[in-house]
Amino acid sequence: MPVADARYTADYLRLKGLAEKGNANAQHSLGFMHFNGQGIEQSYALALHWYGLAAAQGLEHAQYNLGVMCQKGQGVAQDFAQAAQWYLKAAEQGYAAAQYNLGWLYAKGQGIAQDSGQAMLWFSRAAEQGDAGAQNNLGMMYDNGKGVPQDFAQAIAWYRKAAEQGYARAQFNLGLRYDNGQGVRQDRQQATAWLRKAAEQGYAPAQFNLALRYENGDVLPQDSGQAIAWYRRAAQQGHASSQFNLGLIYDNGQGVPCDKQAALGWYIKAADLGHAAAQHNLGLHHEHGAHDYTQAQRFYRQAAEQGFPAAQYQLALLYEHGQGMPADAREAVFWYRKAADQGHVRAQFGLGLRYEHGQGVPQDLSLALAWYARAAEQDYAPAQYLQGVLHDRDDGPAPDSQRACACYCRAAAQGHSLAQFALGLRHDNGQDVPQDYAAAREWYALAAHQGHARAQMNLGLMAACGQGGPVDVQQAYIWLSMAAAAGVAGAEKSLRQTASRMRETDLLQVRQRMAALAD
């Protein structure tokens, strides 16, 4: 028999003898040995037996251990009410760990009615004895105003007591408060120091925050290697946001070679934990990479049902086009609305289109205008343009030519070719603005360079006759050729007229320029 086994056997026999004579401490120690299989066969049933005898004699350690076994369902059916009774017995004797656990049961309403005041009472008693977990929880209660008036200074004081004992969660909480200057003067360097202490103890949220700092060069020098290392440590503990961020890093080749398979692996891990953005990205992968619309809609739906607006929008598109499921305009509108209500700009624009044209909803130009306006407020140029178009309509919900012009200006400034063309027409005709051929020519040019065929036609005509600028028949020929190729009515005739005004050498030269541009 090994020496260690002999010692445990001797201890066991000695304790068993004392326990059978009613010695409470021996009974507790014997229960502990059976609970842990320390030198003897592990047995929850025998641990319960001996803990029970000691607890009946009022030994607080045994009462606490019985509470833990009832709370966790070890050797007995899980019973929070019974756990609370045992914790109360030990807590009333001043046993800090029992006070802490009883506070949690009151805070969560497990086995007893939820009572923030009672949670506060028991956390306070444990905290005053130096229990770091209770000190941290007191800090959180003061932080959130649960059971006590909100008091950031008190929260900081309790976080600090626990943090200085090395309690990782308190170090993390203290770091966050220094980061945002809540209850303490903002000090992001000190924030990072506390986050690092928690991270080095393996606390995943702190590791994630430290990784973010390294990734973005925020407080710490930008270091993709350090970011990946800290994300990985948190990810390996099942921290979903770290898994997702690792997926992004490998997807984009940020600090590492681009590796789509590695990215996919991390997205899957995060998605399995319910991370909505990861589910959305898996939907994108299956839709655009694997072209598996059934799988795409499955992942989009998982994220959409969690309220993730980008996934709601993608799911709407699949319903609209009948990809991975039968086309369903009403269902598409349902998901567009979900995303739009959360501010998703393309969903807002999409709803505007559907109300304008009566797709999946009754046609309603007033609602179309309202949705265009919401998207336009987010500087979405296509919405600004269509908002202008509806204001421009005499039969529209709110005719207002001046307002239409303002909408076109906002969209045109962002490079929207249709809005640029509309402004060209307005300056050309003096509608809502002073007639200004030079300005018209400039707006037409901006649209024409983006391939707007009617702008090319108008620009060609202006260049041919010197309206708004010098005569330039070669430029006129080029723009009219483009308009004619696009099938603009009258462009072919204008092109022939322009060619008839040109010398053969000029015509040859411009055709060579066009051929060079085509190459």
Side-chain angles (χ1 to χ4, degrees):
M1 177 185 298
V3 174
D5 289 348
R7 189 191 75 227
Y8 280 127
T9 301
D11 286 343
Y12 174 75
L13 292 173
R14 179 180 59 80
L15 288 169
K16 190 170 186 294
L18 291 170
E20 288 171 345
K21 291 176 181 179
N23 184 293
N25 284 317
Q27 290 167 343
H28 174 263
S29 295
L30 203 58
F32 189 84
M33 291 179 74
H34 278 295
F35 183 88
N36 294 293
Q38 185 177 306
I40 54 176
E41 182 181 356
Q42 195 273 342
S43 170
Y44 285 149
L46 286 172
L48 284 167
H49 170 74
W50 291 112
Y51 282 154
L53 291 176
Q57 294 191 66
L59 190 69
E60 68 274 20
H61 301 68
Q63 292 166 342
Y64 167 76
N65 284 343
L66 279 177
V68 170
M69 293 184 77
C70 289
Q71 184 176 354
K72 295 183 176 180
Q74 294 171 318
V76 290
Q78 190 176 49
D79 188 334
F80 291 111
Q82 189 67 39
Q85 290 180 25
W86 285 117
Y87 288 147
L88 180 60
K89 290 180 184 291
E92 288 175 337
Q93 295 189 68
Y95 194 65
Q99 293 168 340
Y100 171 76
N101 283 12
L102 185 59
W104 262 122
L105 292 184
Y106 271 115
K108 296 179 179 179
Q110 293 179 324
I112 42 181
Q114 195 280 333
D115 189 328
S116 295
Q118 283 292 309
M120 184 77 184
L121 169 70
W122 290 111
F123 285 146
S124 296
R125 291 188 180 180
E128 287 162 3
Q129 295 188 67
D131 186 285
Q135 291 169 341
N136 177 66
N137 285 2
L138 273 183
M140 292 176 68
M141 294 186 81
Y142 278 113
D143 216 344
N144 301 318
K146 285 191 175 179
V148 286
Q150 192 174 49
D151 187 331
F152 294 134
Q154 281 282 7
I156 292 292
W158 284 112
Y159 286 148
R160 192 181 304 281
K161 285 179 184 290
E164 288 173 350
Q165 291 192 69
Y167 194 75
R169 291 188 181 189
Q171 292 169 337
F172 174 71
N173 287 337
L174 189 57
L176 292 183
R177 296 303 161 266
Y178 272 111
D179 210 34
N180 59 28
Q182 192 177 59
V184 68
R185 186 174 181 178
Q186 188 178 41
D187 184 338
R188 303 201 67 219
Q189 292 291 342
Q190 190 161 177
T192 304
W194 283 113
L195 291 173
R196 188 181 297 280
K197 285 179 184 291
E200 287 172 348
Q201 291 194 72
Y203 190 56
Q207 293 170 335
F208 171 74
N209 273 266
L210 201 59
L212 279 176
R213 281 164 160 71
Y214 277 118
E215 182 179 2
N216 299 321
D218 181 19
V219 182
L220 296 168
Q222 199 285 329
D223 188 327
S224 296
Q226 282 289 325
I228 291 166
W230 284 110
Y231 279 140
R232 190 178 299 278
R233 288 176 67 175
Q236 288 168 347
Q237 295 185 67
H239 191 269
S241 292
S242 294
Q243 294 170 339
F244 173 69
N245 281 14
L246 277 176
L248 288 177
I249 284 171
Y250 281 105
D251 213 353
N252 300 321
Q254 182 183 339
V256 291
C258 180
D259 187 335
K260 297 296 184 183
Q261 283 305 115
L264 198 60
W266 286 114
Y267 288 150
I268 289 170
K269 287 180 184 292
D272 286 345
L273 292 170
H275 195 285
Q279 293 164 343
H280 169 256
N281 281 17
L282 284 175
L284 291 174
H285 164 78
H286 283 289
E287 180 180 1
H288 301 295
H291 301 293
D292 185 335
Y293 297 113
T294 301
Q295 281 289 78
Q297 71 89 9
R298 181 173 75 88
F299 283 111
Y300 286 146
R301 189 178 303 280
Q302 288 176 5
E305 289 174 350
Q306 292 192 70
F308 195 72
Q312 292 168 338
Y313 173 71
Q314 294 298 140
L315 190 58
L317 289 176
L318 292 186
Y319 270 114
E320 183 175 350
H321 300 298
Q323 293 172 318
M325 64 195 87
D328 188 328
R330 286 190 177 184
E331 197 69 12
V333 168
F334 172 82
W335 288 110
Y336 279 132
R337 190 182 304 279
K338 288 278 190 185
D341 284 340
Q342 294 189 73
H344 191 284
V345 67
R346 294 184 68 185
Q348 292 171 339
F349 178 69
L351 269 184
L353 287 174
R354 275 140 200 84
Y355 276 111
E356 183 176 356
H357 301 291
Q359 296 173 330
V361 290
Q363 187 180 44
D364 188 325
L365 295 184
S366 293
L367 283 176
L369 183 60
W371 283 113
Y372 287 148
R374 288 180 65 175
E377 286 167 4
Q378 297 191 63
D379 283 333
Y380 191 56
Q384 292 167 340
Y385 170 71
L386 289 184
Q387 183 186 15
V389 170
L390 284 184
H391 280 306
D392 238 354
R393 286 177 56 168
D394 291 335
D395 63 344
D400 188 332
S401 184
Q402 290 284 349
R403 195 168 180 184
C405 190
C407 293
Y408 293 146
C409 285
R410 292 174 66 192
Q414 295 191 69
H416 193 278
S417 63
L418 296 176
Q420 291 167 341
F421 176 69
L423 285 179
L425 286 175
R426 270 171 153 68
H427 283 94
D428 206 348
N429 301 318
Q431 181 186 355
D432 303 313
V433 292
Q435 191 173 49
D436 185 335
Y437 293 130
R441 190 162 169 171
E442 288 177 7
W443 284 117
Y444 286 148
L446 289 171
H449 281 292
Q450 293 190 70
H452 192 290
R454 285 185 61 201
Q456 292 166 343
M457 170 75 168
N458 288 7
L459 186 59
L461 292 174
M462 295 183 89
C465 66
Q467 194 175 39
V471 172
D472 188 332
V473 290
Q474 287 198 11
Q475 278 297 321
Y477 186 90
I478 291 171
W479 289 119
L480 291 170
S481 294
M482 290 181 180
V488 177
E492 188 68 44
K493 180 181 178 182
S494 296
L495 180 64
R496 288 196 300 271
Q497 291 173 344
T498 301
S500 69
R501 297 167 52 193
M502 298 173 69
R503 294 177 301 180
E504 194 63 35
T505 54
D506 291 338
L507 199 56
L508 179 62
Q509 185 180 33
V510 75
R511 285 171 177 166
Q512 288 173 341
R513 283 174 60 191
M514 291 175 63
L517 288 172
D519 291 340

